[in-house]
Amino acid sequence: MSSAWPAGTRPGIEGPSGSIGAGQSTIEVIENNTFVYTFGVNLDSSETIRWSINGGLDSKLFTIEESTGTLSFKDAPDYEQAQDFTRDNNYEVIIRVRDDDTGLTADQAVTVVVVDDPELQPCDGSNVDNCIDIPPP
């Protein structure tokens, strides 16, 4: 199997920043969701690659699908009850991709910023921008 890049070239991760090979990326996700991002790599589709988590202060809170590079929270985060190490809703994890044909790896430090999903309130005439119509009982 041949890679899309010259032999010995490290794989490059395409993360939320959109820049292949960037050492770090940041992504915002809305609370109460587990899906974060599906990573890409600069290798030919015929390459055998494996994704893994390779550290980060909050790595134990995440899972990554080894074959697809899909990063998810193990449990959906709650903005009001941050579980990250610094309790500021900035979750830090390091993603690794490994090219099984060459043994070469690349890492990307990812900060996942959890943002608040405002609770919808019943519409009462004064609150019309962020409300939901609830029919009377």
Side-chain angles (χ1 to χ4, degrees), residues 8 11 14 16 32-33 35 43 46 48 67 83 86 89 91 98 106 109 122 124-125 133 135:
E14 182 177 356
N32 301 319
N33 293 292
F35 174 79
L43 297 176
S46 64
T48 303
S67 62
Q83 298 296 311
T86 55
N89 282 306
Y91 294 76
R98 181 180 194 279
D124 63 7
D133 285 322

Side-chain angles (χ1 to χ4, degrees), residues 16 27-29 33-39 62-63 70-73 77 93 110-113:
I27 186 169
E28 287 187 358
V29 297
N33 293 292
T34 56
F35 174 79
V36 176
Y37 188 79
T38 299
F39 292 85
F62 292 93
T63 183
T70 298
L71 180 69
S72 300
F73 280 99
V93 62
V110 179
T111 301
V112 181
V113 180

Side-chain angles (χ1 to χ4, degrees), residues 18-135:
S19 178
I20 294 175
Q24 58 187 11
S25 278
T26 300
I27 186 169
E28 287 187 358
V29 297
I30 297 173
E31 68 172 324
N32 301 319
N33 293 292
T34 56
F35 174 79
V36 176
Y37 188 79
T38 299
F39 292 85
V41 67
N42 66 339
L43 297 176
D44 201 351
S45 62
S46 64
E47 297 294 322
T48 303
I49 60 168
R50 295 187 198 283
W51 295 94
S52 61
I53 293 174
N54 193 42
L57 290 173
D58 304 303
S59 61
K60 292 183 181 181
L61 302 174
F62 292 93
T63 183
I64 193 163
E65 172 57 43
E66 185 179 77
S67 62
T68 65
T70 298
L71 180 69
S72 300
F73 280 99
K74 289 180 179 176
D75 297 305
D78 180 351
Y79 179 83
E80 289 78 18
Q81 306 229 351
Q83 298 296 311
D84 62 299
F85 183 77
T86 55
R87 302 283 193 248
D88 63 357
N89 282 306
N90 291 303
Y91 294 76
E92 298 177 18
V93 62
I94 298 171
I95 304 305
R96 171 167 282 183
V97 65
R98 181 180 194 279
D99 179 344
D100 281 349
D101 293 333
T102 64
L104 296 173
T105 62
D107 290 343
Q108 186 172 98
V110 179
T111 301
V112 181
V113 180
V114 174
V115 296
D116 194 15
D117 183 14
E119 307 294 323
L120 294 178
Q121 302 297 319
C123 297
D124 63 7
S126 63
N127 176 23
V128 295
D129 291 330
N130 191 27
C131 65
I132 186 170
D133 285 322
I134 300 174

